[in-house]
Amino acid sequence: MFSPSTVKCTSLSSSDIVIAVGKGNAEFPLKDIEKYKDTTVLDIGTYNGKRLVCLNLPDLEGGVPLRTFFSEAEPEIAHIAILAAHLSWWKALYKYCPKCGKPLKEHNFERCMTCQACEENFYPVISPAIIVLITKENRILLAHNTKFPPKRHSLLAGFVEPGESLETAVHREVMEETGIRIKNLRYLESQPWPFPNSLMAAFAAEWESGELKPDGVEIEGAAWYASSDELPDLPPKGSIARKLIDSWIMERHTAIFAE
Ligand SMILES: [Zn+2]
């Protein structure tokens, strides 16, 4: 069982359980820990009574892609991988005080870094983002983002901007990327997504008005699909996007069967 604790930099000892992260991969538990003995690691909690540490290995060759971890690992192990990936990113970035430039050190009891000179505290940075499943009658909106692999389509998503509520961000992203208005927005669930530090808030909404006009910058193509249509390449399992799309397909199949 995993119990998180305050992050501390410590030295790896042979009795530790190690999660290694690097190159978008994770290995848990890291097998060959002897060669990293006395390396600096992040102490992130306990696992089955043993100290659990994270080792950031930029040249990690083994392990499993983090995205695969989320789809295949037990929820508790996936949680450990998410935490380890997010904290190693944050720890690698926050070495010096953004305010005065002096070195940061671990806080005595909180999960944050503190400045040795001005004593300002810096907590792990989390970037909120939204994702929304939009339907029009019995069809779902799937779009191709220019950053996706060639045929991949998914739900609309984007980062929340300063001053916005989550709901405002959904309406803005949908309008900016596809030119449509939505209604009946409702919150569904959330998922931490450590690429590198997002927290995805998922919503469902219905089309209200407007023709689909992809912005051509972030979104290259967008269309309405029925569950009986041949669907394009979807995001991998483990992502909240795929979970929402799969749930919608299941709901539609159940509804069609009942008709
Ligand atoms: Zn400072």
Side-chain angles (χ1 to χ4, degrees), residues 97-102 104 115-120 122:
C97 176
K99 203 169 158 189
C100 76
K102 295 288 189 304
L104 297 174
C115 177
Q116 299 185 37
C118 72
E119 299 187 339
E120 189 83 26
F122 298 94

Side-chain angles (χ1 to χ4, degrees), residues 9 20 73 93 159 225 251:
C9 272
L93 211 61
F159 285 104
Y225 292 85
E251 272 175 32

